[in-house]
């Protein structure tokens, strides 16, 4: 009987231990995200960044990822980035050579990146050829104005980022960018969402009259995803698009390093 009691106590301890480990596994973040943003840029972009921080902080509790933020772009250095499985640029991009180099090394060694809207902006004054290649080759060419809703078409309904979306949906008001050449021309780029031709002409002051306008894509050589959404305080007003925003984060975060 004494032995039985001892065995029972041991079994109970083991069960409690297993339960503790399981509880810990359920609450431990699956991945750590660091989001960079600036508060001194165009105010419509700051509005988006602040709403995105609220949205992803909440989503992180649902999807078990840790979402940290910083306005100090010098945090983009090798020592600091080593603690994060992915980084996000909400409303800005690196401005110093050291920040750029740290980003290149991070991405070349399997880091994850999710960029919104102006994060991918580059023109003849950018002088960062690696970044243009990383994006798939597109240089900023133009945009519509004012920001307007637009119908988007899903290019690949089986992809983890788009599989919860209908074939087409109306995305909330945004300033939509055109890229030349189109990232779709690059065989390494997979376009996931495109502005539907039915939107043309789009704009009043600045009018987008036609052409191929990819909105969300990935360069398959990297753990990266670019999303053109990110202008103003309407972006998170669509349940459909919110699902896309959440699935984009968990896809990049969960993708294994290279
Ligand atoms: Zn904008």
């Amino acid at each position: 009987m004494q032995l039985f009691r001892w065995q029972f106590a041991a079994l109970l301890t083991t069960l409690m231990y297993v339960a503790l480990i399981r509880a810990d596994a359920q609450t431990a973040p699956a991945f750590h995200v660091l989001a960079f943003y600036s508060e001194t840029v165009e105010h419509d972009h700051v509005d988006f960044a602040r709403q995105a921080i609220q949205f992803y902080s909440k989503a992180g509790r649902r999807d078990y990822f840790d979402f940290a933020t910083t306005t100090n772009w010098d945090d983009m250095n090798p020592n600091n980035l080593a603690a994060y499985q992915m980084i996000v640029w909400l409303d800005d991009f690196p401005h110093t050579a050291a920040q750029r180099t740290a980003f290149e090394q991070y991405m070349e060694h399997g880091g994850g990146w999710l960029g919104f809207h102006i994060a991918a902006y580059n023109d003849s004054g950018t002088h960062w050829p690696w970044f243009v290649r990383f994006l798939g080759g597109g240089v900023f060419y133009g945009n519509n104005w004012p920001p307007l809703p637009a119908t988007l078409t899903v290019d690949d309904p089986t992809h983890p980022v788009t599989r919860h979306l209908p074939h087409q949906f109306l995305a909330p008001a945004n300033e939509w960018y055109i890229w030349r050449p189109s990232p779709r021309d690059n065989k390494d780029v997979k376009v996931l969402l495109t502005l539907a031709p039915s939107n043309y002409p789009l704009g009043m002051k600045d009018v987008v009259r036609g052409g191929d306008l990819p909105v969300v894509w990935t360069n398959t050589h990297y753990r990266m995803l670019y999303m053109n959404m990110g202008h103003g305080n309407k972006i998170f007003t669509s349940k459909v698009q919110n699902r896309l925003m959440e699935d984009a984060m968990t896809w990049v975060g969960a993708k294994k390093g290279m």
Side-chain angles (χ1 to χ4, degrees), residues 10-26:
L11 180 68
L12 207 63
T13 311
T14 308
L15 283 174
M16 282 167 66
Y17 185 64
V18 168
L20 272 173
I21 290 176
R22 288 192 60 178
D24 191 46
Q26 276 167 9

Side-chain angles (χ1 to χ4, degrees), residues 17-253:
Y17 185 64
V18 168
L20 272 173
I21 290 176
R22 288 192 60 178
D24 191 46
Q26 276 167 9
T27 50
F31 56 92
H32 295 266
V33 184
L34 179 60
F36 291 83
Y37 72 111
S38 296
E39 289 187 319
T40 51
V41 295
E42 194 174 332
H43 74 87
D44 280 337
H45 295 170
V46 180
D47 278 353
F48 165 75
R50 287 181 179 152
Q51 290 190 347
I53 289 167
Q54 283 186 353
F55 177 82
Y56 284 120
S57 300
K58 224 170 151 184
R61 291 193 283 276
R62 268 196 304 275
D63 301 328
Y64 304 109
F65 63 83
D66 174 56
F67 189 79
T69 65
T70 180
T71 54
N72 179 7
W73 288 72
D74 285 331
D75 284 347
M76 200 135 39
N77 65 69
N79 272 348
N80 190 46
L81 293 185
Y84 298 95
Q85 282 74 48
M86 71 177 281
I87 59 174
V88 177
W89 297 354
L90 292 171
D91 65 357
D92 205 355
F93 39 75
H95 291 278
T96 72
Q99 294 164 6
R100 286 179 173 187
T101 304
F103 179 65
E104 288 179 27
Q105 287 174 357
Y106 180 71
M107 293 311 301
E108 295 289 355
H109 292 94
W113 179 80
L114 177 60
F116 292 98
H117 197 56
I118 192 105
Y121 181 89
N122 73 92
D123 61 21
S124 57
T126 301
H127 305 300
W128 192 9
W130 179 91
F131 186 56
V132 181
R133 282 197 303 277
F134 168 76
L135 291 170
V139 174
F140 175 82
Y141 181 78
N143 58 272
N144 67 291
W145 195 261
L148 289 170
T151 300
L152 305 184
T153 307
V154 172
D155 287 84
D156 179 359
T158 65
H159 195 278
V161 171
T162 46
R163 70 179 165 204
H164 294 115
L165 302 176
H167 172 61
Q168 285 199 325
F169 69 94
L170 187 68
N174 187 45
E175 179 194 27
W176 305 98
Y177 290 174
I178 318 164
W179 309 91
R180 293 277 170 89
S182 165
R184 198 190 312 273
D185 295 348
N186 183 333
K187 64 176 173 42
D188 297 325
V189 165
K190 183 168 183 57
V191 176
L192 298 175
L193 280 163
T194 304
L195 198 87
S198 57
N199 294 291
Y200 300 131
L202 182 67
M204 285 177 249
K205 182 175 166 283
D206 298 315
V207 182
V208 181
R209 299 194 180 279
D212 180 29
L213 205 156
V215 169
V216 176
W217 71 83
T218 177
N219 177 344
T220 56
H221 279 303
Y222 298 95
R223 280 178 59 210
M224 68 82 87
L225 190 77
Y226 173 70
M227 310 181 79
N228 188 232
M229 299 79 173
H231 187 107
N233 58 10
K234 305 279 193 305
I235 300 294
F236 293 98
T237 58
S238 155
K239 268 192 178 168
V240 175
Q241 182 165 283
N242 286 356
R243 185 65 203 247
L244 165 71
M245 302 297 249
E246 192 165 342
D247 287 348
M249 180 72 72
T250 52
W251 178 67
V252 177

